[in-house]
Amino acid sequence: MNAVVTITGAVNWSKFTLEEWLYQFGAWMNSVSGTCGKSINPIAIAMDQAVIKSKAAKINLTKSEIIANYVASDEDKPKLQRSNITCLISDNEARAVQRLILDMQGKSEVLDEWLDVVIARHFYCNSFAKIADEHHKSLMDVKFDNKAGLAAIYARNLFIKHR
């Protein structure tokens, strides 16, 4: 019998803890940037576009309106913050980390809110204060959302080390 190997099954998840994998993905996204700090990494761009499309779908925009808003607006585009984290993962490992998040998005509105905070914190290295300001939430709510998002990811992927 032939077993199908998925991208997440081909990764040695014992290299890092869950949070370290998420920070490594952020470093990987940041590792290939062009002019003005914008990512030229095709997977990072696809991830950003997926976030924008999911937010636009929640407010029932047409495809042409989504494209127009994406081209015309800088505020919806996630901004990469420079961090001191050195990228230590390969492209395939980055795809696997991305898959962890994408497989969970769209399941529920609450889970999506938690994942938005996890993405902003770990992929884009934003401070809790900045995330709270952008999401119009209290600092404590953002910290709780981050913990709940990490717990949800971990609960679904028990093969990843947790602190």
Side-chain angles (χ1 to χ4, degrees):
M1 182 188 308
N2 292 337
V4 177
V5 177
T6 62
I7 189 102
T8 55
V11 171
N12 175 11
W13 293 102
S14 65
K15 282 173 53 175
F16 303 109
T17 65
L18 174 59
E19 287 187 81
E20 290 169 338
W21 276 110
L22 297 173
Y23 281 122
Q24 281 297 314
F25 184 81
W28 176 82
M29 286 176 35
N30 232 349
S31 68
V32 186
S33 57
T35 59
C36 302
K38 292 187 178 184
S39 180
I40 57 173
N41 186 323
I43 297 173
I45 292 170
M47 184 80 170
D48 291 345
Q49 290 172 342
V51 169
I52 292 166
K53 285 179 186 174
S54 71
K55 287 181 181 177
K58 289 178 185 173
I59 55 173
N60 298 325
L61 294 179
T62 66
K63 186 175 180 179
S64 60
E65 290 172 326
I66 293 170
I67 293 170
N69 288 345
Y70 178 77
V71 171
S73 175
D74 278 339
E75 74 180 61
D76 287 336
K77 296 175 187 172
K79 309 261 188 301
L80 290 172
Q81 302 290 325
R82 291 287 174 196
S83 71
N84 58 356
I85 300 170
T86 303
C87 180
L88 302 172
I89 62 174
S90 67
D91 289 349
N92 285 334
E93 289 171 326
R95 287 183 189 97
V97 174
Q98 179 188 31
R99 192 80 254 153
L100 295 177
I101 301 297
L102 290 178
D103 285 348
M104 294 181 70
Q105 286 183 320
K107 303 291 186 208
S108 79
E109 191 173 324
V110 173
L111 181 59
D112 285 347
E113 286 180 23
W114 295 345
L115 292 176
D116 285 347
V117 172
V118 169
I119 289 168
R121 175 69 176 168
H122 295 89
F123 290 1
Y124 299 109
C125 296
N126 290 326
S127 68
F128 284 125
K130 181 175 179 180
I131 298 167
D133 187 46
E134 289 175 356
H135 287 85
H136 308 291
K137 292 184 173 186
S138 73
L139 188 60
M140 193 57 70
D141 286 343
V142 169
K143 288 182 178 181
F144 284 138
D145 285 355
N146 183 61
K147 286 195 181 287
L150 291 172
I153 296 167
Y154 178 69
R156 184 150 187 227
N157 305 285
L158 294 175
F159 49 86
I160 301 176
K161 280 192 318 188
H162 190 54
R163 286 190 223 197

